[in-house]
Amino acid sequence: PLRAPRRRLAGDRHGSLSKALAARGPPKPTAWRSLAEQLVDEGCESVYLTRIRAQHDVNTHVDSIADEVAEEMAQALGRTTSKCDYAFAVLARDRAAHARAVDGVLAMRVPELKAALAARGLATGGNKPVLRARLLPAATEETRDAFEAQRKVCQRARSDLLIHRQALGFKTENHAVVEKYYPLSDLRPLPAPDAAPGDEEPRAPEPAPWAARKTYSKGRNWGGFRLF
């Protein structure tokens, strides 16, 4: 009687492949490595031969490349972090400079207020609160503009750090970690020139650094990646 052909299982294929690879033995050494080993056999040892053997050892070479790539990725993230640190440090300096400018106006007496207003070509009539309210916007305009410009730099640097960390795989509590070291409270805007001390403008919500919803036709969009 005729027998149906035996169906080869996936395990058989894998087993055959394993046997074939085992029969081949270890990979052949490269020509440079073989030459270096010949010199070693002759009793010659030097740093140059060590370099040749290390460079042409496949496993060592792959490991060294992987370490180099990981080191470069870590250094790149470190540069992004340092950029964010510097931006926030400059922002703190500009906030302090604006506070000193405000305190300088608040410490002026009426004659000093009138002199400062006259020097800027502004009206000098009115009582002390009126003079002070008139002088504050002009006296603090430069420091306010510098702070607002640096505040935008900080927002961009913080967003870049979030994106960089997420691209490297730091997805779990990424925002919490960045918020811990670079809190949004440090990005609060300056109080209005006519506001009472301590009053501040409401903070605008920070734009999300990931893609908008419905970017993909299928799957759930999270962090710029499509998940199913």
Side-chain angles (χ1 to χ4, degrees):
L2 296 177
R3 294 183 179 180
R6 182 174 177 269
R7 187 176 182 181
R8 180 171 295 181
L9 301 178
D12 296 337
R13 293 197 300 270
H14 293 166
S16 301
L17 180 60
S18 301
K19 293 178 181 178
L21 292 176
R24 292 177 58 184
K28 295 182 179 180
T30 61
W32 288 110
R33 183 176 174 84
S34 298
L35 293 174
E37 290 176 349
Q38 290 178 11
L39 290 177
V40 172
D41 293 339
E42 296 175 3
C44 180
E45 280 289 351
S46 71
V47 64
Y48 306 106
L49 294 178
T50 304
R51 291 177 187 172
I52 292 177
R53 286 184 292 177
Q55 182 177 1
H56 292 277
D57 186 341
V58 177
N59 293 330
T60 304
H61 193 52
V62 171
D63 292 341
S64 63
I65 292 177
D67 293 341
E68 184 177 352
V69 170
E71 182 179 359
E72 181 59 32
M73 292 170 63
Q75 290 179 354
L77 182 58
R79 289 191 292 268
T80 303
T81 304
S82 297
K83 177 183 176 182
C84 199
D85 285 328
Y86 179 77
F88 273 73
V90 174
L91 185 68
R93 181 202 65 185
D94 292 345
R95 186 185 293 275
H98 180 267
R100 288 194 299 270
V102 172
D103 292 341
V105 174
L106 297 179
M108 289 182 179
R109 298 180 179 181
V110 172
E112 296 171 337
L113 290 171
K114 290 184 176 181
L117 288 169
R120 291 174 171 81
L122 300 176
T124 58
N127 55 17
K128 186 174 182 179
V130 173
L131 296 175
R132 182 184 293 167
R134 190 180 300 149
L135 179 60
L136 266 176
T140 61
E141 180 180 5
E142 183 177 352
T143 57
R144 177 178 292 274
D145 291 344
F147 176 86
E148 288 301 325
Q150 185 61 28
R151 182 166 169 263
K152 293 180 180 179
V153 172
C154 288
Q155 289 174 337
R156 180 60 182 174
R158 189 178 188 275
S159 178
D160 289 344
L161 180 60
L162 281 168
I163 296 173
H164 197 160
R165 285 176 54 85
Q166 185 168 323
L168 292 181
F170 296 98
K171 300 175 184 178
T172 304
E173 298 184 354
N174 185 25
H175 284 263
V177 172
V178 174
E179 174 65 20
K180 177 181 178 181
Y181 294 99
Y182 308 98
L184 287 174
S185 58
D186 288 349
L187 296 177
R188 65 188 185 281
L190 295 172
D194 56 348
D199 293 344
E200 295 182 348
E201 301 174 5
R203 183 176 70 245
E206 183 188 24
W210 52 77
R213 286 183 175 274
K214 298 182 179 179
T215 303
Y216 303 102
S217 59
K218 295 181 180 180
R220 179 167 57 87
N221 179 31
W222 179 86
F225 296 95
R226 182 171 57 186
L227 301 179
F228 293 92

PDB file of all heavy atoms in Angstrom, residues 180-197:
ATOM      1  N   LYS A 180       9.832  66.812  38.168  1.00  0.00           N
ATOM      2  CA  LYS A 180      10.552  66.844  39.437  1.00  0.00           C
ATOM      3  C   LYS A 180      11.762  67.767  39.377  1.00  0.00           C
ATOM      4  O   LYS A 180      12.036  68.517  40.321  1.00  0.00           O
ATOM      5  CB  LYS A 180      10.993  65.420  39.804  1.00  0.00           C
ATOM      6  CG  LYS A 180      11.814  65.350  41.091  1.00  0.00           C
ATOM      7  CD  LYS A 180      12.233  63.912  41.383  1.00  0.00           C
ATOM      8  CE  LYS A 180      13.096  63.845  42.644  1.00  0.00           C
ATOM      9  NZ  LYS A 180      13.531  62.429  42.928  1.00  0.00           N
ATOM     10  N   TYR A 181      12.487  67.734  38.261  1.00  0.00           N
ATOM     11  CA  TYR A 181      13.717  68.517  38.152  1.00  0.00           C
ATOM     12  C   TYR A 181      13.512  69.848  37.428  1.00  0.00           C
ATOM     13  O   TYR A 181      14.307  70.783  37.612  1.00  0.00           O
ATOM     14  CB  TYR A 181      14.787  67.700  37.427  1.00  0.00           C
ATOM     15  CG  TYR A 181      15.229  66.484  38.208  1.00  0.00           C
ATOM     16  CD1 TYR A 181      14.726  65.222  37.924  1.00  0.00           C
ATOM     17  CD2 TYR A 181      16.136  66.608  39.254  1.00  0.00           C
ATOM     18  CE1 TYR A 181      15.127  64.103  38.645  1.00  0.00           C
ATOM     19  CE2 TYR A 181      16.541  65.503  39.983  1.00  0.00           C
ATOM     20  CZ  TYR A 181      16.031  64.254  39.672  1.00  0.00           C
ATOM     21  OH  TYR A 181      16.424  63.161  40.391  1.00  0.00           O
ATOM     22  N   TYR A 182      12.478  69.925  36.594  1.00  0.00           N
ATOM     23  CA  TYR A 182      12.196  71.164  35.862  1.00  0.00           C
ATOM     24  C   TYR A 182      10.702  71.477  35.999  1.00  0.00           C
ATOM     25  O   TYR A 182       9.934  71.324  35.045  1.00  0.00           O
ATOM     26  CB  TYR A 182      12.586  71.028  34.385  1.00  0.00           C
ATOM     27  CG  TYR A 182      14.001  70.533  34.198  1.00  0.00           C
ATOM     28  CD1 TYR A 182      14.258  69.185  33.936  1.00  0.00           C
ATOM     29  CD2 TYR A 182      15.078  71.397  34.302  1.00  0.00           C
ATOM     30  CE1 TYR A 182      15.557  68.724  33.780  1.00  0.00           C
ATOM     31  CE2 TYR A 182      16.379  70.940  34.141  1.00  0.00           C
ATOM     32  CZ  TYR A 182      16.605  69.616  33.893  1.00  0.00           C
ATOM     33  OH  TYR A 182      17.891  69.160  33.737  1.00  0.00           O
ATOM     34  N   PRO A 183      10.271  71.902  37.180  1.00  0.00           N
ATOM     35  CA  PRO A 183       8.829  72.093  37.419  1.00  0.00           C
ATOM     36  C   PRO A 183       8.256  73.222  36.575  1.00  0.00           C
ATOM     37  O   PRO A 183       8.940  74.216  36.277  1.00  0.00           O
ATOM     38  CB  PRO A 183       8.770  72.429  38.919  1.00  0.00           C
ATOM     39  CG  PRO A 183      10.122  72.963  39.244  1.00  0.00           C
ATOM     40  CD  PRO A 183      11.081  72.239  38.361  1.00  0.00           C
ATOM     41  N   LEU A 184       7.003  73.053  36.198  1.00  0.00           N
ATOM     42  CA  LEU A 184       6.321  74.080  35.424  1.00  0.00           C
ATOM     43  C   LEU A 184       6.152  75.369  36.225  1.00  0.00           C
ATOM     44  O   LEU A 184       5.986  76.445  35.637  1.00  0.00           O
ATOM     45  CB  LEU A 184       4.955  73.559  34.963  1.00  0.00           C
ATOM     46  CG  LEU A 184       4.981  72.509  33.843  1.00  0.00           C
ATOM     47  CD1 LEU A 184       3.580  71.978  33.597  1.00  0.00           C
ATOM     48  CD2 LEU A 184       5.557  73.099  32.576  1.00  0.00           C
ATOM     49  N   SER A 185       6.182  75.268  37.545  1.00  0.00           N
ATOM     50  CA  SER A 185       6.056  76.469  38.362  1.00  0.00           C
ATOM     51  C   SER A 185       7.204  77.441  38.121  1.00  0.00           C
ATOM     52  O   SER A 185       7.044  78.654  38.300  1.00  0.00           O
ATOM     53  CB  SER A 185       6.001  76.091  39.851  1.00  0.00           C
ATOM     54  OG  SER A 185       7.166  75.373  40.227  1.00  0.00           O
ATOM     55  N   ASP A 186       8.367  76.925  37.699  1.00  0.00           N
ATOM     56  CA  ASP A 186       9.488  77.817  37.383  1.00  0.00           C
ATOM     57  C   ASP A 186       9.269  78.564  36.078  1.00  0.00           C
ATOM     58  O   ASP A 186       9.998  79.526  35.796  1.00  0.00           O
ATOM     59  CB  ASP A 186      10.784  77.016  37.291  1.00  0.00           C
ATOM     60  CG  ASP A 186      11.253  76.537  38.656  1.00  0.00           C
ATOM     61  OD1 ASP A 186      10.693  76.998  39.672  1.00  0.00           O
ATOM     62  OD2 ASP A 186      12.173  75.689  38.704  1.00  0.00           O
ATOM     63  N   LEU A 187       8.295  78.137  35.290  1.00  0.00           N
ATOM     64  CA  LEU A 187       7.990  78.802  34.030  1.00  0.00           C
ATOM     65  C   LEU A 187       6.813  79.765  34.152  1.00  0.00           C
ATOM     66  O   LEU A 187       6.302  80.241  33.140  1.00  0.00           O
ATOM     67  CB  LEU A 187       7.681  77.762  32.948  1.00  0.00           C
ATOM     68  CG  LEU A 187       8.825  76.824  32.567  1.00  0.00           C
ATOM     69  CD1 LEU A 187       8.356  75.806  31.540  1.00  0.00           C
ATOM     70  CD2 LEU A 187      10.014  77.598  32.034  1.00  0.00           C
ATOM     71  N   ARG A 188       6.398  80.039  35.370  1.00  0.00           N
ATOM     72  CA  ARG A 188       5.276  80.957  35.556  1.00  0.00           C
ATOM     73  C   ARG A 188       5.649  82.346  35.031  1.00  0.00           C
ATOM     74  O   ARG A 188       6.788  82.793  35.175  1.00  0.00           O
ATOM     75  CB  ARG A 188       4.886  81.042  37.032  1.00  0.00           C
ATOM     76  CG  ARG A 188       5.958  81.634  37.916  1.00  0.00           C
ATOM     77  CD  ARG A 188       5.598  81.506  39.394  1.00  0.00           C
ATOM     78  NE  ARG A 188       6.560  82.163  40.259  1.00  0.00           N
ATOM     79  CZ  ARG A 188       7.738  81.665  40.610  1.00  0.00           C
ATOM     80  NH1 ARG A 188       8.091  80.467  40.163  1.00  0.00           N
ATOM     81  NH2 ARG A 188       8.560  82.349  41.391  1.00  0.00           N
ATOM     82  N   PRO A 189       4.691  83.038  34.417  1.00  0.00           N
ATOM     83  CA  PRO A 189       4.999  84.372  33.883  1.00  0.00           C
ATOM     84  C   PRO A 189       5.149  85.399  35.003  1.00  0.00           C
ATOM     85  O   PRO A 189       4.772  85.158  36.152  1.00  0.00           O
ATOM     86  CB  PRO A 189       3.786  84.681  33.006  1.00  0.00           C
ATOM     87  CG  PRO A 189       2.679  83.862  33.588  1.00  0.00           C
ATOM     88  CD  PRO A 189       3.319  82.610  34.111  1.00  0.00           C
ATOM     89  N   LEU A 190       5.703  86.533  34.656  1.00  0.00           N
ATOM     90  CA  LEU A 190       5.867  87.615  35.616  1.00  0.00           C
ATOM     91  C   LEU A 190       4.517  88.261  35.908  1.00  0.00           C
ATOM     92  O   LEU A 190       3.612  88.250  35.066  1.00  0.00           O
ATOM     93  CB  LEU A 190       6.828  88.668  35.061  1.00  0.00           C
ATOM     94  CG  LEU A 190       8.272  88.214  34.847  1.00  0.00           C
ATOM     95  CD1 LEU A 190       9.046  89.298  34.111  1.00  0.00           C
ATOM     96  CD2 LEU A 190       8.938  87.895  36.174  1.00  0.00           C
ATOM     97  N   PRO A 191       4.360  88.810  37.102  1.00  0.00           N
ATOM     98  CA  PRO A 191       3.113  89.534  37.388  1.00  0.00           C
ATOM     99  C   PRO A 191       2.989  90.767  36.516  1.00  0.00           C
ATOM    100  O   PRO A 191       3.987  91.328  36.048  1.00  0.00           O
ATOM    101  CB  PRO A 191       3.246  89.887  38.876  1.00  0.00           C
ATOM    102  CG  PRO A 191       4.716  89.881  39.133  1.00  0.00           C
ATOM    103  CD  PRO A 191       5.283  88.818  38.241  1.00  0.00           C
ATOM    104  N   ALA A 192       1.770  91.181  36.277  1.00  0.00           N
ATOM    105  CA  ALA A 192       1.540  92.385  35.485  1.00  0.00           C
ATOM    106  C   ALA A 192       2.143  93.600  36.184  1.00  0.00           C
ATOM    107  O   ALA A 192       2.248  93.630  37.415  1.00  0.00           O
ATOM    108  CB  ALA A 192       0.037  92.587  35.270  1.00  0.00           C
ATOM    109  N   PRO A 193       2.566  94.623  35.435  1.00  0.00           N
ATOM    110  CA  PRO A 193       3.206  95.787  36.061  1.00  0.00           C
ATOM    111  C   PRO A 193       2.335  96.485  37.104  1.00  0.00           C
ATOM    112  O   PRO A 193       2.843  97.029  38.079  1.00  0.00           O
ATOM    113  CB  PRO A 193       3.481  96.712  34.870  1.00  0.00           C
ATOM    114  CG  PRO A 193       3.534  95.807  33.690  1.00  0.00           C
ATOM    115  CD  PRO A 193       2.562  94.707  33.973  1.00  0.00           C
ATOM    116  N   ASP A 194       1.024  96.456  36.908  1.00  0.00           N
ATOM    117  CA  ASP A 194       0.125  97.124  37.854  1.00  0.00           C
ATOM    118  C   ASP A 194      -0.473  96.164  38.876  1.00  0.00           C
ATOM    119  O   ASP A 194      -1.376  96.520  39.622  1.00  0.00           O
ATOM    120  CB  ASP A 194      -1.011  97.811  37.107  1.00  0.00           C
ATOM    121  CG  ASP A 194      -1.780  96.845  36.215  1.00  0.00           C
ATOM    122  OD1 ASP A 194      -1.298  95.715  36.012  1.00  0.00           O
ATOM    123  OD2 ASP A 194      -2.848  97.244  35.706  1.00  0.00           O
ATOM    124  N   ALA A 195       0.030  94.901  38.928  1.00  0.00           N
ATOM    125  CA  ALA A 195      -0.514  93.922  39.876  1.00  0.00           C
ATOM    126  C   ALA A 195       0.129  94.098  41.233  1.00  0.00           C
ATOM    127  O   ALA A 195       1.241  94.620  41.374  1.00  0.00           O
ATOM    128  CB  ALA A 195      -0.276  92.505  39.366  1.00  0.00           C
ATOM    129  N   ALA A 196      -0.580  93.621  42.228  1.00  0.00           N
ATOM    130  CA  ALA A 196      -0.039  93.676  43.584  1.00  0.00           C
ATOM    131  C   ALA A 196       1.071  92.654  43.725  1.00  0.00           C
ATOM    132  O   ALA A 196       1.112  91.658  43.000  1.00  0.00           O
ATOM    133  CB  ALA A 196      -1.152  93.396  44.604  1.00  0.00           C
ATOM    134  N   PRO A 197       2.019  92.866  44.635  1.00  0.00           N
ATOM    135  CA  PRO A 197       3.098  91.881  44.815  1.00  0.00           C
ATOM    136  C   PRO A 197       2.546  90.499  45.131  1.00  0.00           C
ATOM    137  O   PRO A 197       1.677  90.345  45.983  1.00  0.00           O
ATOM    138  CB  PRO A 197       3.886  92.461  46.004  1.00  0.00           C
ATOM    139  CG  PRO A 197       3.598  93.928  45.984  1.00  0.00           C
ATOM    140  CD  PRO A 197       2.177  94.047  45.505  1.00  0.00           C
TER     141      PRO A 197
END
